[in-house]
């Protein structure tokens, strides 16, 4: 039976544009290799150029247009000419929050052939999924500035946590832990210093835990968590944390797995009331944009997550396998992984691996 998936591509800014083009090439290669599988892709050129021309990151009907798709592939929002909080809130957060993509899922693994900075740590020992609360908390957007420009100016960013918001992300993380062989969950907190919402977070985690007696659960303060990730990586499996905490921990996780350039993420609306959005974790990378040397693997891995989400597990598996064949060979790697290959060369190698041939 033939299957067609409608994908909205939002490349955004900087290397986002370069890696999303690469990701779409890989989707084409997947479709070419499997006659029953097709993708209808529409590109939306929204981002900072659009902002400089129109004063907004995406048009008024942008949200409604994206809603009609099965999934969204996103690059990056961020440009040296526009303040970061405008680009981020105007595009990426507007989509994530508007589509209630409350579960941000960030797998971290040492891919074959890639050596992380942790000496002697094997692929079996570093295999985590970080689950990030993606709809509220420190990035709820609540706050303001009063007496702007005066000595007595006040700035407030208010973290908002709701019982419903916390419970649904903790439950999501337990379910994910249950689907993995090791069945472990670490709940990250900071309830020693933050004595209101984080204490509620802990209480809700303990309450939900009662429904998952088969999952080995522990609790970690976020500062201590950074040392545990570095010193005892094998002790971790699934990790759940607030919006801010997981944002930071997942960049650390990406670095420990070899490079920010390979790290993928999915912004999921698990109920499927809205499309989910998949993107590499990295940003626009001003220092390398336009040079054609960005690592596209984070985007390829995100594309595999997108396929998985659409029920195309076999295609997702073939793509992951092609990525691993290329990293395992170690010949076609970008500079962030110690190689000298271009984005196009890595893309070509992955497409060739998908087609079953070698380059
Ligand atoms: P960044 O991820 O853009 O870059 C950090 C470092 O990692 C840079 O040295 C960069 O060259 C390197 N790097 C990142 N991705 C790479 C890749 N695929 N291949 C090779 N090297 C790679 O983070 P930053 O410098 O903090 O942010 C730059 C801009 O991107 C800012 O405007 C920021 O707001 C934005 N940003 C957007 C998102 C997003 O849209 N999801 C995420 C992070 C940062
Ligand atoms: Mn981040």
């Amino acid at each position: 039976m033939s299957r067609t998936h409608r994908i909205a591509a939002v490349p955004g800014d900087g290397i986002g544009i370069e890696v999303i083009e690469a990701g779409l090439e890989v989707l084409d290669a997947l479709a070419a290799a499997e006659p029953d599988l097709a993708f209808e892709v529409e590109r939306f050129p929204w981002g900072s150029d659009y902002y400089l021309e129109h004063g907004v990151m995406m048009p008024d009907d942008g949200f409604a247009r994206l809603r009609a798709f099965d999934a969204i592939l996103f690059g990056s929002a961020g440009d040296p000419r526009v303040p970061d909080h405008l680009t981020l809130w105007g595009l990426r957060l507007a989509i994530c929050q508007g589509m209630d993509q409350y579960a941000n899922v960030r797998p971290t693994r040492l891919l074959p052939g890639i050596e992380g900075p942790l000496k002697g740590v094997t692929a079996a020992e570093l295999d985590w999924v970080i689950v990030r609360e993606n709809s509220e908390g420190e990035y709820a957007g609540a706050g303001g500035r009063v007496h702007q420009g005066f000595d007595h100016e006040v700035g407030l960013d208010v973290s908002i946590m709701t019982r419903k918001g916390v419970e649904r992300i903790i439950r999501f993380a337990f379910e994910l832990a249950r689907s993995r062989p090791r069945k472990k969950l670490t709940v990250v907190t900071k309830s020693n210093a933050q004595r209101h919402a984080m204490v509620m977070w802990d209480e809700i985690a303990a309450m939900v835990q009662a429904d998952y007696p088969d999952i080995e659960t522990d609790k970690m303060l976020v500062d201590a968590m950074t040392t545990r990730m570095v010193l005892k990586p094998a002790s971790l499996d699934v990790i759940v944390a607030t919006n801010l905490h997981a944002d930071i921990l997942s960049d650390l996780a990406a670095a420990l797995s070899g490079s920010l350039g390979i790290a993928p993420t999915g912004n999921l609306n698990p109920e499927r009331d809205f499309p989910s959005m998949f993107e590499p974790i990295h940003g626009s990378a001003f220092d390398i944009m336009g040079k054609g040397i960005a690592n596209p693997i984070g985007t390829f891995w995100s594309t595999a997550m997108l396929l998985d989400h659409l029920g195309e597990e076999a295609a997702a598996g073939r793509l992951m396998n092609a990525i691993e064949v290329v990293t395992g060979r170690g010949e076609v790697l970008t500079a962030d992984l110690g190689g000298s290959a271009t984005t196009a060369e890595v893309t070509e190698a992955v497409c060739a691996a998908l087609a079953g041939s070698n380059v």
Side-chain angles (χ1 to χ4, degrees):
M1 203 181 65
S2 122
R3 304 170 318 273
T4 301
H5 302 288
R6 299 194 62 217
I7 313 288
V10 184
D13 298 322
I15 64 164
I17 298 167
E18 301 166 42
V19 293
I20 294 307
E21 253 343 284
L24 296 178
E25 264 183 61
V26 160
L27 270 185
D28 277 347
L30 272 165
E34 195 178 329
D36 285 343
L37 183 61
F39 302 102
E40 250 175 58
V41 177
E42 190 171 339
R43 291 170 174 76
F44 295 93
W46 302 334
S48 295
D49 283 336
Y50 192 91
Y51 177 86
L52 290 169
E53 201 176 318
H54 300 96
V56 285
M57 290 290 286
M58 65 173 167
D60 283 349
D61 67 346
F63 189 85
R65 287 168 72 188
L66 289 180
R67 214 189 148 158
F69 286 82
D70 297 323
I72 303 166
L73 188 61
F74 186 83
S76 169
D79 183 291
R81 300 165 297 171
V82 185
D84 281 345
H85 64 280
L86 296 181
T87 50
L88 192 65
W89 279 96
L91 195 56
R92 184 175 170 272
L93 288 180
I95 297 170
C96 285
Q97 298 205 342
M99 299 206 180
D100 206 21
Q101 294 165 346
Y102 64 84
N104 183 243
V105 176
R106 305 185 153 198
T108 305
R109 278 196 291 127
L110 275 177
L111 296 180
I114 295 180
E115 231 180 275
L118 297 179
K119 250 184 268 159
V121 170
T122 64
E125 291 169 327
L126 203 167
D127 183 357
W128 308 328
V129 183
I130 298 180
V131 175
R132 168 180 176 184
E133 201 299 314
N134 211 31
S135 68
E136 54 177 35
E138 306 87 343
Y139 301 170
R145 288 172 69 177
V146 185
H147 308 305
Q148 276 201 47
F150 293 99
D151 283 351
H152 54 298
E153 178 167 356
V154 178
L156 283 176
D157 268 302
V158 183
S159 173
I160 293 181
M161 294 193 194
T162 63
R163 180 165 284 277
K164 182 176 176 183
V166 174
E167 184 174 344
R168 67 184 182 177
I169 197 66
I170 301 266
R171 226 170 252 291
F172 181 91
F174 270 108
E175 289 292 330
L176 183 65
R178 190 172 261 174
S179 75
R180 288 169 53 91
R182 289 168 61 208
K183 307 207 183 316
K184 287 187 70 169
L185 177 69
T186 301
V187 179
V188 176
T189 184
K190 190 64 195 174
S191 50
N192 54 346
Q194 295 182 293
R195 59 189 183 162
H196 307 296
M198 290 311 306
V199 175
M200 179 180 83
W201 167 277
D202 289 359
E203 285 171 10
I204 293 170
M207 179 194 82
V208 176
Q209 187 184 343
D211 294 340
Y212 296 87
D214 51 324
I215 308 299
E216 189 188 332
T217 309
D218 64 353
K219 188 170 103 176
M220 256 342 258
L221 295 173
V222 65
D223 40 354
M225 186 65 178
T226 59
T227 56
R228 180 163 163 198
M229 286 167 70
V230 173
L231 299 176
K232 290 188 178 163
S235 72
L236 296 163
D237 181 23
V238 178
I239 298 160
V240 64
T242 70
N243 212 329
L244 170 68
H245 291 165
D247 187 6
I248 298 167
L249 294 179
S250 54
D251 271 30
L252 172 61
L256 295 178
S257 72
S259 170
L260 192 54
I262 62 174
T265 185
N267 301 282
L268 307 185
N269 173 252
E271 290 73 26
R272 296 174 188 260
D273 296 327
F274 295 93
S276 293
M277 179 161 79
F278 300 83
E279 53 170 346
I281 282 187
H282 65 74
S284 305
F286 304 149
D287 50 339
I288 59 166
M289 65 184 183
K291 295 185 178 162
I293 57 167
N295 193 341
I297 289 180
T299 299
F300 297 162
W301 193 342
S302 303
T303 304
M305 291 177 76
L306 177 154
L307 292 164
D308 222 16
H309 182 76
L310 295 180
E312 296 292 349
E313 289 90 356
R318 285 199 289 123
L319 176 51
M320 272 326 286
N321 185 56
I323 293 169
E324 293 183 18
V325 164
V326 171
T327 60
R329 242 190 275 134
E331 288 156 11
V332 191
L333 299 176
T334 44
D336 56 309
L337 291 174
S340 59
T342 61
T343 310
E345 285 164 350
V346 176
T347 307
E348 199 184 318
V350 169
C351 288
L354 273 175
S357 63
N358 279 349
V359 280

